[in-house]
Amino acid sequence: MNLDDASNVLTPSQLNTLARDLLEGTFPLIWVEGELGNVSRPSSGHLYFVLKDERAQVRCAMFKPKSSWLKFVPREGVHVLARGRLTLYEARGEYQLVLDHMEEAGEGALRRAFEEMKAKLAAEGLFDSDRKRPLPHFARRIGVITSPSGAAVRDVLSVLARRFPLVEAEVLPVQVQGAAAAAQLVSMLQRAAASGRYDVLLLTRGGGSLEDLWSFNDERLARAIAAAPIPVVSAVGHETDFSLSDFAADLRAPTPSVAAELLVPSRDDLARRLRALDARLHNLQAQRLRAAMQRTDRAALRLNALRPRARLDALCRRQEEALRRLASAWQRRLERERARVRHADAVLRAAHPQRRIVRLRERLAAVSSRPQATIVRRLGNEMLRLRGLARSLEAVSPLATVARGYTILRHPDGRVVRSVLDAVPGDRLEARLADGTLPLQVVKTT
């Protein structure tokens, strides 16, 4: 045995941890079908057993509370279908299945068929909420499609009679279990919907196993419910039971009794509502009567006011009031005009020519000495500026360069000759000197 690389040596716990990670990462959620064995449920509420067939077995655990939700009693020899994840119990180095769902194997096949059909119809949009129709507020006649001898029909009729005795409920008898049940349900639903006799249809039965309720998972029934021209309510089984008819119906009720309560209003609630509306009506009538009486009183007062003597007295009072307002208005206007005259007199006095001449003489005396000083100062500044400009111009003038003995060669059109390449033999040029110009002719260039 080679122990040179000590990092390759694992402890049992490290090995089991690696094995557990490998198992959990390799195997997704899986389904296993087999026979129960060594079933035990300790006080903790967890469930431990093995799943076995003719050749092998695997340890399984189902922890609380999932183990308490089972719809059957786990016991030796029961054939089941289980779903869970594969893991490894590190303390013992034993791999096992930790389950989150388990059902008897026969029901499991039906459950898979149910899920497949549900997914198919959902993909077609058969269960979409936007195609659901609202229930009528006050249904006059309800068709109850169910077994006439079951407990469900008794519960429905009892609730309808208690809540709203005015509604007509007709039992449309069909089989709700067995090979012929689905066809009868479809036929009765289509005939009842096409008759135009009912405002709403209730499809219902009592609880049972998935196999007992299977006729309500028929594809033809789901499509007939979706195609019905009137609303359909489905109440199949108990609250935890679901069928395809529940998803296809316009409303799913958890139990037949609840469905009956949803279909009709309570007569007690209606009575309270009617009493409230009656009280509101009486209040509105009383308010309108009071308003009419007030209008009558005002009309009587206006009629009394329209008598000739009363009208004359009223006109005299209006005349006197108008004269008072007129006198007051003339007085206010006279005061305003007097104030304007006083203000105009003050303005004229302030603008008298003699006063203006005095002020102008004072201003003239103040400014007479300013122009000469300003002109002298301005001329001095401009002379300094001109001298500076002359020096700057002389520094950059080409004439200054010519005065030092240089010359400027130009073509007759004024272009300056800067290189021998700017002239060719025979060209006539002008040479600018400090005291004049000389005409030249190019003989040759080198």
Side-chain angles (χ1 to χ4, degrees):
M1 180 177 179
N2 185 9
L3 298 179
D4 293 339
D5 189 359
S7 62
N8 291 329
V9 179
L10 300 175
T11 63
S13 59
Q14 290 174 335
L15 178 60
N16 286 349
T17 300
L18 292 174
R20 185 200 64 188
D21 295 342
L22 180 62
L23 284 174
E24 293 179 352
T26 303
F27 289 90
L29 194 67
I30 59 175
W31 288 87
V32 179
E33 185 174 350
E35 181 181 323
L36 290 180
N38 299 336
V39 179
S40 66
R41 188 192 293 270
S43 59
S44 62
H46 306 320
L47 187 63
Y48 301 98
F49 52 90
V50 296
L51 279 179
K52 58 185 177 178
D53 56 15
E54 297 83 1
R55 301 176 55 187
Q57 68 179 19
V58 60
R59 291 183 179 274
C60 301
M62 194 172 196
F63 300 119
K64 193 178 180 181
K66 296 185 184 299
S67 63
S68 60
W69 296 343
L70 294 175
K71 295 183 179 181
F72 68 99
V73 178
R75 59 185 181 276
E76 298 286 333
V78 175
H79 203 67
V80 299
L81 180 67
R83 181 185 65 196
R85 296 185 180 276
L86 195 61
T87 186
L88 185 136
Y89 182 46
E90 297 180 44
R92 295 182 181 176
E94 298 175 349
Y95 86 93
Q96 60 181 357
L97 275 172
V98 177
L99 304 179
D100 60 7
H101 176 77
M102 186 168 63
E103 58 192 30
E104 294 185 83
E107 185 172 336
L110 293 179
R111 180 70 62 185
R112 289 196 297 272
F114 169 79
E115 294 294 342
E116 291 173 0
M117 183 57 63
K118 176 184 173 184
K120 173 186 174 182
L121 297 180
E124 296 179 13
L126 206 69
F127 305 151
D128 291 349
S129 58
D130 56 359
R131 56 156 294 277
K132 305 290 185 181
R133 292 156 295 198
L135 300 183
H137 292 292
F138 295 97
R140 294 173 299 175
R141 186 177 291 112
I142 300 173
V144 183
I145 303 175
T146 187
S147 171
S149 60
V153 69
R154 293 194 298 271
D155 293 341
V156 169
L157 296 179
S158 174
V159 172
L160 293 178
R162 172 174 52 83
R163 286 178 63 84
F164 196 62
L166 297 178
V167 71
E168 297 181 32
E170 296 184 2
V171 179
L172 307 177
V174 292
Q175 293 183 22
V176 293
Q177 185 173 337
Q184 289 189 21
L185 287 168
V186 173
S187 176
M188 183 61 74
L189 176 68
Q190 292 175 339
R191 284 188 287 119
S195 68
R197 179 176 174 81
Y198 306 102
D199 297 318
V200 62
L201 294 175
L202 172 59
L203 192 66
T204 184
R205 67 149 287 164
S209 65
L210 181 60
E211 185 176 1
D212 295 337
L213 305 178
W214 192 249
S215 57
F216 291 87
N217 292 320
D218 190 84
E219 179 181 1
R220 296 169 299 170
L221 178 60
R223 295 188 183 279
I225 293 173
I230 59 176
V232 178
V233 177
S234 176
V236 179
H238 300 301
E239 186 172 355
T240 57
D241 297 321
F242 284 89
S243 62
L244 294 181
S245 64
D246 292 335
F247 294 104
D250 298 293
L251 177 66
R252 184 255 176 184
T255 63
S257 300
V258 174
E261 293 180 358
L262 295 174
L263 284 171
V264 295
S266 170
R267 64 179 178 181
D268 295 334
D269 293 340
L270 288 177
R272 284 192 294 271
R273 184 178 178 187
L274 287 175
R275 287 194 295 269
L277 290 175
D278 183 64
R280 182 180 177 188
L281 180 61
H282 280 86
N283 291 334
L284 289 175
Q285 289 177 341
Q287 291 176 5
R288 291 186 177 182
L289 182 60
R290 287 193 295 269
M293 293 175 63
Q294 292 173 359
R295 288 196 299 270
T296 302
D297 293 340
R298 287 195 294 269
L301 292 174
R302 286 197 298 271
L303 286 175
N304 291 331
L306 291 176
R307 289 178 302 172
R309 184 62 188 174
R311 293 187 64 186
L312 181 60
D313 293 341
L315 290 175
C316 290
R317 288 193 295 272
R318 291 178 60 186
Q319 182 183 23
E320 293 174 359
E321 180 65 23
L323 290 175
R324 283 195 298 270
R325 290 199 302 270
L326 181 62
S328 177
W330 275 111
Q331 185 64 31
R332 289 195 299 272
R333 184 170 182 180
L334 180 61
E335 292 296 330
R336 287 197 299 269
E337 293 298 330
R338 288 175 178 173
R340 289 178 60 187
V341 170
R342 289 194 296 270
H343 177 71
D345 181 67
V347 171
L348 288 176
R349 291 177 181 276
H352 194 278
Q354 187 63 37
R355 292 187 177 183
R356 190 174 182 185
I357 290 172
V358 172
R359 287 197 299 271
L360 290 176
R361 285 177 177 174
E362 292 174 351
R363 290 180 59 188
L364 180 61
V367 301
S368 60
S369 60
R370 295 179 184 175
Q372 185 174 2
T374 302
I375 292 173
V376 172
R377 187 168 56 257
R378 182 73 178 269
L379 286 176
N381 292 337
E382 291 298 327
M383 289 179 65
L384 292 175
R385 181 169 171 271
L386 286 176
R387 290 194 186 98
L389 291 175
R391 286 193 296 270
S392 300
L393 183 61
E394 184 177 358
V396 298
S397 175
L399 297 179
T401 304
V402 171
R404 293 196 300 270
Y406 294 93
T407 184
I408 299 174
L409 294 179
R410 292 184 300 184
H411 288 280
D413 57 4
R415 290 183 293 113
V416 177
V417 178
R418 302 178 185 277
S419 171
V420 294
L421 299 178
D422 293 342
V424 296
D427 283 353
R428 294 185 177 276
L429 304 175
E430 291 181 352
R432 175 67 184 269
L433 302 174
D435 55 351
T437 60
L438 291 176
L440 305 174
Q441 185 175 6
V442 178
V443 177
K444 67 177 181 176
T445 60
T446 59

